[in-house]
Amino acid sequence: RRLAACVLALALVAGCGDTRETREPDVVVREATPSGEATARGADGGDEVRLWVVTHGQASSAFWTIVRNGIEAARRQMGVDVTYRSPDVYDVDAMRELIREAVASEPDGLVVSIPSPELERPIRDAVKAGIPVVSINSGSEIARLAGTLAHVGQPEEDAGYKAGKRLVKAGAHTAVC
């Protein structure tokens, strides 16, 4: 089940930098649905793997549309049940509630983006509840503090610093972010 959470997170950000291969226990596929999609079962033969994904990006964002498409492709390929939720507009309070809703549903894994330190507590609550959590895109330092299983993304400060150095080296004097 941890593999499903990690693979889903990695699938949705594929192509965003270097990759590392980690071998985890397999998700065992026991049967297929009439549509040809596999129904994933845990290694113990238990119920279908259920994952929640909570991000801070809205559906209208081109970036988050690509992420959502990656999640859907991974869901079909792995045959897992995925609930994807994000606020209609950027709203940390709404994200906090979505994470709490995810924890209450007792999923097999949770994937979250972490745009604010205010989300550390609900993520920590998920980890304490025994839910494997993988963070994506933002919040690498917060993810570490909250006890997530893994972070798929980059350290924002370090990336910004290195990007600034490259701009200066290229002769830029003014930049807009």
Side-chain angles (χ1 to χ4, degrees):
R1 293 175 194 242
R2 287 184 178 192
L3 173 66
C6 286
V7 168
L8 181 65
L10 292 173
L12 60 96
V13 293
C16 293
D18 294 339
T19 59
R20 291 188 184 130
E21 186 174 320
T22 302
R23 182 74 178 142
E24 295 284 342
D26 292 336
V27 173
V28 179
V29 177
R30 301 269 186 226
E31 58 192 59
T33 64
S35 67
E37 292 182 4
T39 301
R41 304 269 180 197
D44 61 356
D47 295 331
E48 182 177 42
V49 175
R50 292 184 322 101
L51 303 174
W52 268 66
V53 179
V54 178
T55 68
H56 65 276
Q58 297 75 45
S60 61
S61 160
F63 174 83
W64 289 105
T65 297
I66 292 168
V67 171
R68 178 94 187 245
N69 288 342
I71 291 168
E72 283 301 312
R75 180 198 62 77
R76 286 188 306 274
Q77 290 168 3
M78 296 182 64
V80 298
D81 177 25
V82 178
T83 300
Y84 182 97
R85 302 287 301 277
S86 64
D88 293 333
V89 296
Y90 179 82
D91 184 339
V92 174
D93 291 333
M95 277 194 74
R96 186 182 302 114
E97 289 308 312
L98 291 173
I99 293 169
R100 287 184 179 140
E101 184 180 337
V103 172
S105 77
E106 300 179 353
D108 298 306
L110 173 62
V111 177
V112 296
S113 61
I114 313 175
S116 169
E118 296 174 58
L119 297 174
E120 181 183 346
R121 168 65 70 201
I123 293 168
R124 186 182 303 268
D125 291 344
V127 171
K128 284 181 183 176
I131 299 168
V133 179
V134 174
S135 62
I136 60 169
N137 181 254
S138 58
S140 60
E141 186 61 26
I142 301 163
R144 187 184 63 74
L145 295 172
T148 64
L149 183 64
H151 176 76
V152 180
Q154 64 189 10
E156 291 88 4
E157 256 186 68
D158 189 40
Y161 177 76
K162 288 180 179 177
K165 286 185 76 163
R166 286 183 68 184
L167 284 169
V168 169
K169 187 176 178 179
H173 298 283
T174 306
V176 176
C177 294

